[in-house]
Amino acid sequence: MDLAGTEVAPRQGRKSRKSAAARLGLVAVPVAFFAVFFAYPVAAIVARGLKVDGRWQLGRIADVVAQSDIRHVLWFTTWQACASTALTLLVALPGAYVFARFDFPGKQVLRAVVTVPFVLPTVVVGTAFLALVGRGGLLDELWGVRLDTTVWAILLAHVFFNYAVVVRTVGGLWSQLDPRQEEAARMLGASRLAAWRQVTLPALAPAVAAAALMVFLFTFTSFGVVQILGGPTFSTLEVEIYRQTSEIFDLSTAAVLTIVQFVAVGAVLALHAWTVRRRETALRLVDASVTARRPRGTGQWALLAGVLASIAVLLLLPLAVLVQRSLDVPDFGYYRALTSEDGGIFLVPPIEAIGNSLRYAVAATAIAVVIGGLAAAALTRRDAGRFVRGFDALLMLPLGVSAVTVGFGFLIALDEPPLDLRASWILVPLAQALVGVPFVVRTMLPVLRAVDVRLREAAAVLGASPWRVWREVDLPMVRRALLVAAGFAFAVSLGEFGATVFIARPDNPTLPVAVARLLGRAGELNYGQAMALSTILMIVCAAALLVLERLRTDRTGEF
């Protein structure tokens, strides 16, 4: 017995050390990436605002927060984010169910279309809704109703913008849940509602929470939508940071607001990590192609019709307005104008922004998938320590920190050797990948954690290396989630505006930056060109996402 124990102890020790080394190896690259390209730039811009003659002016924090107008901004920011998140979940969860469980003509095309609003620059989203609900808009012309400068216009625009987050994040997991578990509950006497509430809803809880978290962070830091639709009445922290930085040039107040935003987002992420982690369980996942079927009965057809109607009104109608505005001039005049050089705001023809955006988006997607995939793999390990679990929350911080702060931070912090990147093209994909990584992690994590750990343990017992376990056990189960994550990262990169606008070179503008610059200039031609570029951005995104849909669904039998 003693001899046996003497042999086992060293083996267990070696196994523990290898496991710890593997865990640290997985998390080392994401930690280094976020430390260099997120923490360092943000810290640099905050220090620039709060340091005077080398001394910290921490009392400035209390002075700024005590101002009544700042407290009002903080209250409205929090309130509208909560309301926007609740409304988005209410509208989009039925859509997630329809895309996950129903099979109907045009499903792949429609799934790609509903993601297009998410990649549009927020200034374009605000402009589209202004054309619908503002003075002279569609509602004003038909019924004399105006919703601009009201909170309802902001909430509806946020639903438009974030609908795809819920459909893809929740629907991705929902489509892989084994429906026989709910059917078994029905056979045991549970009603349809009770079976869904007691079986399906607990399994979906992590994905729903992840989607709600992403929607909350995007609406909490909302900028373009609130600035255009809210007018002088409503202002979020992000709008106020931009105003203090670009209009008043008060970096001290902007730095304080950045810290306030950072603390608030950190508290939300900590609450999310504490509540969701306790409810995660291993799930039975199946091939998504076998769970989708044609609607049956009046109720399911009515649900499908209701979801399609909501998509038409909330998503397709604003997109149609953009297309219509881009075609106001005969013979595609606005589109032809994009091919001419403009020495005023562009050093190259605006049409070149298309190629720039695609190149940047591909590079950013590759970075986000690698960094996010490593982070998600580290977070799913059973032996993950407190540091790794805490890193789960830190990964979401780029979604909750002002993009204005990140952009300025890049310019201030990354301008000296050995990280002098201000003249390098890689700076834009790095900034875009910061926003894409959280989507990769949040999309892959529920599926990775749902894989039965006994499968990994059995493969390890049979002598498989950690890499082979990942390749033969995890990867076949999460391939679909990985493609969804890549699609999200690509879409986010195409539409990222807040940080890119500060670091994109004048001779290499992206589509969102080109649109914003055109909207910022007076004149019908500039406005029409902005609508034309927005339409092109929509088409490029829809085409890319449609290709992804075909690649993702052409996997029958591989899961």
Side-chain angles (χ1 to χ4, degrees):
M1 293 292 294
D2 293 338
L3 291 175
T6 303
E7 284 186 25
V8 169
R11 285 201 301 267
Q12 290 178 338
R14 288 192 297 270
K15 181 178 180 181
S16 177
R17 287 192 295 270
K18 288 181 179 179
S19 178
R23 181 175 68 249
L24 292 176
L26 287 173
V27 80
V29 175
V31 167
F33 178 80
F34 275 83
V36 174
F37 298 112
F38 176 69
Y40 177 47
V42 171
I45 191 66
V46 171
R48 179 69 64 92
L50 291 182
K51 267 189 175 181
V52 178
D53 297 328
R55 300 181 61 182
W56 288 95
Q57 305 295 319
L58 298 181
R60 180 64 177 158
I61 298 177
D63 294 339
V64 172
V65 175
Q67 299 175 18
S68 60
D69 56 337
I70 296 299
R71 291 202 303 270
H72 175 74
V73 168
L74 180 59
W75 163 248
F76 175 74
T77 301
T78 305
W79 179 87
Q80 64 83 24
C82 292
S84 297
T85 302
L87 186 61
T88 302
L89 289 175
L90 180 66
V91 174
L93 280 177
Y97 174 79
V98 165
F99 280 105
R101 294 302 197 194
F102 289 171
D103 186 20
F104 53 91
K107 176 180 174 179
Q108 293 182 19
V109 175
L110 190 60
R111 194 200 303 268
V113 169
V114 299
T115 309
V116 172
F118 184 73
V119 304
L120 290 178
T122 53
V123 291
V124 177
V125 175
T127 303
F129 269 82
L130 195 63
L132 287 176
V133 302
R135 181 186 299 273
L138 184 62
L139 293 183
D140 191 16
E141 292 179 354
L142 294 179
W143 298 293
V145 176
R146 289 182 55 193
L147 297 177
D148 58 323
T149 68
T150 69
V151 72
W152 280 109
I154 295 172
L155 297 181
L156 291 175
H158 283 162
V159 174
F160 168 86
F161 190 74
N162 293 291
Y163 186 93
V165 174
V166 179
V167 168
R168 286 188 168 268
T169 304
V170 179
L173 179 60
W174 207 337
S175 64
Q176 290 184 275
L177 292 182
D178 191 345
R180 290 174 295 184
Q181 298 179 8
E182 188 173 325
E183 293 170 358
R186 295 286 309 279
M187 294 180 62
L188 293 175
S191 65
R192 184 181 298 276
L193 179 60
W196 182 82
R197 188 179 65 251
Q198 297 175 12
V199 177
T200 304
L201 184 58
L204 288 175
V208 173
L213 176 66
M214 287 188 283
V215 173
F216 180 86
L217 292 180
F218 269 105
T219 53
F220 189 82
T221 58
S222 182
F223 172 60
V225 168
V226 177
Q227 188 179 39
I228 293 176
L229 297 178
T233 307
F234 302 107
S235 178
T236 58
L237 279 172
E238 186 82 359
V239 173
E240 191 65 21
I241 290 172
Y242 177 82
R243 190 174 74 89
Q244 295 290 339
T245 303
S246 302
E247 298 178 7
I248 303 178
F249 304 106
D250 187 352
L251 285 182
S252 176
T253 299
V256 171
L257 295 180
T258 298
I259 293 174
V260 171
Q261 191 176 63
F262 189 86
V263 172
V265 170
V268 172
L269 293 175
L271 178 63
H272 171 268
W274 180 71
T275 55
V276 173
R277 181 75 181 178
R278 299 171 60 186
R279 304 186 64 180
E280 289 172 344
T281 57
L283 305 175
R284 179 183 175 87
L285 302 180
V286 297
D287 184 357
S289 64
V290 303
T291 62
R293 52 178 173 75
R294 300 277 291 183
R296 301 172 183 171
T298 304
Q300 292 188 358
W301 280 107
L303 175 61
L304 176 60
V307 168
L308 294 179
S310 66
I311 290 175
V313 173
L314 289 176
L315 304 185
L316 300 185
L317 185 58
L319 298 180
V321 170
L322 291 180
V323 176
Q324 184 270 326
R325 293 292 179 91
S326 73
L327 297 174
D328 278 348
V329 174
D331 300 324
F332 301 97
Y334 290 143
Y335 290 90
R336 288 189 288 107
L338 295 175
T339 61
S340 61
E341 294 188 11
D342 184 344
I345 55 176
F346 295 107
L347 300 180
V348 295
I351 197 70
E352 292 192 14
I354 300 174
N356 296 333
S357 287
L358 290 176
R359 287 191 294 271
Y360 289 146
V362 170
T365 300
I367 296 171
V369 168
V370 171
I371 300 297
L374 290 174
L379 292 170
T380 55
R381 295 182 65 90
R382 295 182 64 186
D383 55 353
R386 291 184 178 180
F387 172 76
V388 176
R389 290 194 295 268
F391 187 58
D392 184 10
L394 295 177
L395 289 169
M396 300 299 294
L397 285 178
L399 298 184
V401 173
S402 168
V404 175
T405 300
V406 174
F408 272 127
F410 266 46
L411 295 179
I412 292 174
L414 304 179
D415 64 341
E416 296 179 357
L419 288 175
D420 187 4
L421 301 177
R422 289 183 61 174
S424 174
W425 67 273
I426 196 63
L427 202 61
V428 173
L430 287 172
Q432 294 173 343
L434 278 174
V435 183
V437 168
F439 283 93
V440 175
V441 174
R442 293 266 72 85
T443 302
M444 294 183 62
L445 208 51
V447 179
L448 276 172
R449 285 176 172 167
V451 176
D452 194 338
V453 70
R454 291 172 296 183
L455 296 175
R456 301 189 185 108
E457 293 174 347
V461 169
L462 294 175
S465 65
W467 165 245
R468 189 174 180 184
V469 171
W470 161 258
R471 188 178 70 247
E472 298 188 5
V473 176
D474 291 82
L475 184 59
M477 298 296 293
V478 303
R479 183 183 288 111
R480 183 177 185 275
L482 183 62
L483 288 172
V484 173
F488 255 134
F490 184 82
V492 169
S493 300
L494 277 178
E496 204 287 322
F497 169 72
T500 305
V501 69
F502 295 103
I503 57 180
R505 294 166 54 181
D507 57 342
N508 285 294
T510 64
L511 278 170
V513 171
V515 170
R517 289 177 180 173
L518 287 167
L519 286 175
R521 295 186 75 185
E524 183 178 343
L525 178 60
N526 291 317
Y527 182 82
Q529 289 184 86
M531 295 300 101
L533 275 182
S534 298
T535 302
I536 292 173
L537 178 58
M538 290 163 42
I539 295 173
V540 170
C541 175
L545 292 173
L546 184 58
V547 170
L548 180 67
E549 287 296 321
R550 293 189 178 278
L551 289 175
R552 191 189 67 175
T553 54
D554 189 22
R555 300 282 183 182
T556 305
E558 292 189 12
F559 290 92

